[in-house]
Amino acid sequence: MSPSAEVISLHTSRRRNCGDCEVFARCLGRTGSAQSIEALGTIEASATLVHRNDHVYRAGDAFRGLHVVKAGCVKAYVNSESGEEQVLGFYMPGEIIGFDGLAQGWHLSSAVAVGTGSICELPQARLQRLAADHGEVHDTLMNWCSLELVRMQHLVQSMATRSADARLAGFLVDLSDYHARHGYSATQFTLPMLRTDIGRHLGLAVETISRVINRFRRDGLVTIERQQVHIHDLDGLRGLVHPHTDALGEAPRRDSA
Amino acid sequence: MSPSAEVISLHTSRRRNCGDCEVFARCLGRTGSAQSIEALGTIEASATLVHRNDHVYRAGDAFRGLHVVKAGCVKAYVNSESGEEQVLGFYMPGEIIGFDGLAQGWHLSSAVAVGTGSICELPQARLQRLAADHGEVHDTLMNWCSLELVRMQHLVQSMATRSADARLAGFLVDLSDYHARHGYSATQFTLPMLRTDIGRHLGLAVETISRVINRFRRDGLVTIERQQVHIHDLDGLRGLVHPHTDALGEAPRRDSA
DNA sequence: CGAGCCTTTGACTAATGTCAAAGTATGTGG
DNA sequence: CCACATACTTTGACATTAGTCAAAGGCTCG
């Protein structure tokens, strides 16, 4: 894990108002009251180009502000004392990262680009000023932080109660939902992250990820080749997500001969 | 609000300024800037006596505000579609619950008293007004929400990477730390929650909890009888928390370029 | 074209869950 | 105050999931 790249700050494009950004409506302008959205539109941010393994921030870094994933995919993770990496989440375009840094003034987790992408920084001072001037912005920020909390609660629930199959099915369904929400195909998309990282995210070994994908393929649920995902039976996949202890005499065995 | 003819009897639970409360310094007054603390002290709250299994809020309830555990212990949990309960955390006196309700305006989790205790409500409208008037209060609220997020991240990490022994050891150490921080014995305290709930919190079966406790007892680390915990070897317990893949006499890959 | 990284597969193991039942506290009504 | 009912905890035997180890197979990129 040494070949990691520097923390970003390299290539920045011109600074401009967020409200003028072509993806504003899917980003800061996605939620909140009209006043809040208008206020957030006045933030000036510059998108930074990032490449695979570029860090957005690292655990221990001083908190400079929140970051928005504008393009690409960002992996948030923590390292345990014994060096293992736990992936807390994968963040897609329009999603905001860095809330854990608000707790103590420095980050407790790290964020790294999964592939080529683009990141905007929302400077803390600017956000504070905005929140002070517009109560609605404060509400919106709290909403986002709370949403992040809920996201983590779901992950906890998933890891504590679901089987490997259910976890991976849930992971794929979540990705599918994201794409559908944003107007892309719910059944055909790319899987930008490594199998290893999916495993570290779901609390499973890489080999298990591989085997489960295989099982799904055999059962005709999906075709996953390299990074390309085709979901053939989205409902079937959804059905796998929840434990369903209902099988009183009828176990959910799907055998394609 | 509540007719005074309620169960409110033992303790003075009439509405009064939080700043005058005897536990303020361990509660709202625990963190944040001086201005923030002063502002929060002006909140008026009334403590409500709760008994075992009384709910503070339930999933689906409209979000009315945050709640402070003043005495006792509160269990936060979610129910999966298949009815299983996942315990997200146990909250001790001075801790604040309900941040997940900020995300959507209603709660996604439930909170229930583990035993007899006392709860204060911090009305949302009051908090919003305070945050609007005092930017520092806004910061403090974000801090708390972020801290809650970090707490959940730790739980994720624990469940994904630690063995049953490590998880329970961590759980006990956390409790011990809480008691130490608050001036109580770090090695002798009560375990207010059921074994079942500890299991549901750590993602383990009740039987496993029981067996691990037994193992700890055999190894002379603790004595746990009913709800009474005696920690005999706190350092030993701490040592168990982290995986330590020490097998081949320390071989952490520290490859430099 | 070769090196390194990533993924897949197979064989085996270990940790934890499940089921069943006994043991032990707790509370209630007689 | 007892006796019973209920709820919680512990223990044992066994099943099963997912992890580990080892190695081969495929991409990708310099």
Side-chain angles (χ1 to χ4, degrees), chain A residues 23-77:
Chain A
V23 297
F24 180 70
R26 297 180 162 183
C27 167
L28 300 186
R30 188 162 43 91
T31 56
S33 66
Q35 294 100 318
S36 162
I37 291 177
E38 194 192 329
L40 287 168
T42 68
I43 295 180
E44 292 176 342
S46 49
T48 302
L49 185 64
V50 292
H51 297 99
R52 182 174 145 110
N53 294 333
D54 285 349
H55 273 79
V56 182
Y57 52 82
R58 288 173 194 270
D61 283 358
F63 176 72
R64 290 168 293 156
L66 300 172
H67 294 264
V68 178
V69 181
K70 208 176 152 188
C73 175
V74 169
K75 170 181 85 172
Y77 69 95

Side-chain angles (χ1 to χ4, degrees), chain B residues 152-219:
Chain B
M152 223 40 70
Q153 290 181 350
H154 282 145
L155 185 56
V156 166
Q157 182 174 25
S158 173
M159 291 205 303
T161 66
R162 307 218 276 239
S163 69
D165 286 36
R167 282 185 239 179
L168 189 64
F171 178 73
L172 291 173
V173 166
D174 284 348
L175 266 179
S176 167
D177 286 347
Y178 171 88
H179 287 286
R181 256 199 321 277
H182 290 259
Y184 301 113
S185 168
T187 58
Q188 212 163 324
F189 48 85
T190 70
L191 208 59
M193 68 291 289
L194 302 178
R195 305 281 194 268
T196 311
D197 285 333
I198 298 177
R200 286 181 185 142
H201 178 46
L202 301 178
L204 298 167
V206 206
E207 294 94 327
T208 303
I209 300 295
S210 198
R211 283 187 251 263
V212 174
I213 287 179
N214 219 325
R215 215 172 302 151
F216 285 177
R217 185 183 304 138
R218 260 209 312 282
D219 294 347

Side-chain angles (χ1 to χ4, degrees), chain A residues 186-203:
Chain A
T187 59
Q188 213 164 325
F189 49 85
T190 70
L191 208 59
M193 68 292 288
L194 303 179
R195 306 280 194 269
T196 309
D197 285 332
I198 298 176
R200 287 182 185 142
H201 178 46
L202 301 178

